Amino acid sequence: MARLKTQLVHGVPVDDNNTGAVNPPIYNSSTYTFKSVEDTPRWDYARSGNPTREFLERQIAQLEHGCQGFAFASGLAAIHAALAIFKPGDHIIVSDNIYGGTYSLINEHFTRWGLVFHPIDTTDLRLVDKVFKAVEDEGEHVEAIYFETLTNPLLKVNDTAALADIAHEHGAIAIVDNTFLTPYLQRPLDVGVDIVLHSATKYLAGHSDVNAGLAVARERDIAERLYFSLNRLGGVLAPAECDAVRRGIQTLALRMDRQQENALTIARFLRNSPVVADVHYPGLSDSPDYHLALRELNGFGGVLSFEVKKGVDPADVLNNLHVFRLAVSLGAVESLAEFPARMTHFEVPREERLKLGISDELIRLSVGIEDVFDLLEDLKQALDIAEKAAFSGRNEGNRIAVDSQSFERAFGGELETGNVHDVSGVRDINSVQ
Ligand SMILES: *Cc1c(COP(=O)(O)O)cnc(C)c1O
């Protein structure tokens, strides 16, 4: 069988193409003819299925090592469909650090429909086991655990294999949102997860030009429940968008390789900046999640976050970036910067947000494929402006040591020797086929 990088390019062709075109056709047809009234055609109506969508669904199922894939109009439509397989009264353990839109979907929609959620820190495995048992002690049963492989915006690594094991020990299924890693960096179904979800809007499509969601089931019975959700709730991805995601997936490995190389260089630079208090990126060898990431992942991804020191206004950094665009979303070829407290995590009440560690000083970067020197220079000049603003008086009591040589010291030497390209310890994706 072809290796992953080859699979990305070729997919699993749907046998529908008489022309020899190297790209699968986009079928702009909502309905398909029957040969006769007795006919049961492969495709009859586009919401139920169509060849363009099927190409993408086969592609993601192959990449994630699942039995069937499903393409939705957005990531949230995919998450909605996955949670819609449950019924009122079902208990679900959910990570307390999840995408803001998912947080709202759970708290403002699904609780109204009678699902019972138990939000906890899923990086604490003993706590997870305890909550399963606590629900069982009440005579109830947990049906599922839901979490993200890499959390947003603090980039904590969930131990996917261990969480899937705990879920199965308690007769529950594991559902994960793998948006931040993609099958290139982790395949959750291989370690026992039952449903993997994606906002394909991000890395899979990769060009900030389409909203899309994908789901993949490991086994047939769950695939059937997901298909019911897709077809009956109707949040399907349109053919042209399916093709945009397909094309994006073809270059996933190339993009992700550059993005993580750039992200690691930037993380190292930021860690040495006098304006930065903390950097969150699992690829830093002193990150608390570094060893877990090495064990479970094939890379560290292209998103990182950092906190400026108290007294420095994060807006002074963000408003002065020029190469990084100030925007929500992530995973595309261009670099983006954003302020979680106001831009992506406003749905989470401030007190809860602070408890999760998403501070008012936190900045998130989605690193693109640009020349890393342009990205570093952009950050350096914006951090300088923020440092000067803090230094020149808004907050006299909180002066920050100024060191004009810090930039050069921070990454100059490393870049000269080429060490920044060393992501040693990251396993070769080809070695784990
Ligand atoms: C963006 C995102 C979503 C939602 O996806 P949409 O395509 O915007 O609906 C869900 N989960 C994660 C982790 C995301 O980053």
Side-chain angles (χ1 to χ4, degrees), residues 74-76 79 99 148 177 179-180 199 201-202 211-212 330:
S74 69
L76 267 185
I79 296 164
Y99 177 71
E148 295 173 4
D177 179 335
T179 297
F180 272 53
S199 170
T201 309
K202 315 293 168 54
N211 260 134
L330 58 104

Side-chain angles (χ1 to χ4, degrees), residues 17 62 136 211 242 285 300 321-322 329 358 372 374 405:
N17 176 352
Q62 180 188 42
E136 286 157 10
N211 260 134
C242 289
S285 55
F300 309 110
L321 290 167
H322 305 295
S329 198
I358 306 167
V372 75
D374 288 324
Q405 297 304 304

Side-chain angles (χ1 to χ4, degrees), residues 274-403:
V275 199
V276 172
D278 205 1
V279 181
H280 307 281
Y281 186 62
L284 290 173
S285 55
D286 55 1
S287 156
D289 286 346
Y290 180 68
H291 292 284
L292 176 59
L294 282 186
R295 199 167 72 235
E296 290 211 357
L297 317 182
N298 294 312
F300 309 110
V303 179
L304 60 97
S305 60
F306 65 98
E307 274 145 76
V308 292
K309 285 189 177 154
K310 288 246 187 300
V312 177
D313 187 345
D316 286 336
V317 180
L318 287 161
N319 291 337
N320 288 297
L321 290 167
H322 305 295
V323 182
F324 280 87
R325 316 288 289 275
L326 182 62
V328 302
S329 198
L330 58 104
V333 288
E334 74 281 356
S335 292
L336 302 176
E338 67 106 3
F339 186 45
R342 281 183 68 98
M343 294 170 66
T344 50
H345 287 67
F346 56 87
E347 285 114 328
V348 185
R350 182 163 185 271
E351 215 158 276
E352 213 169 305
R353 179 165 62 68
L354 294 179
K355 244 190 340 205
L356 292 172
I358 306 167
S359 73
D360 295 331
E361 287 78 36
L362 190 73
I363 291 172
R364 187 187 77 187
L365 302 179
S366 168
V367 179
I369 64 171
E370 299 95 333
D371 190 309
V372 75
F373 286 96
D374 288 324
L375 299 176
L376 291 167
E377 279 170 12
D378 194 34
L379 284 166
K380 158 73 175 149
Q381 60 81 30
L383 289 166
D384 279 353
I385 292 170
E387 183 178 36
K388 281 202 192 86
F391 195 48
S392 71
R394 267 208 311 271
N395 210 338
E396 279 297 324
N398 266 328
R399 283 194 173 191
I400 288 138
V402 180
D403 178 355

Side-chain angles (χ1 to χ4, degrees), residues 155-170:
L155 292 312
K156 287 194 187 150
V157 182
N158 268 307
D159 189 337
T160 302
L163 287 168
D165 282 349
I166 296 171
H168 294 158
E169 275 165 29
H170 291 274

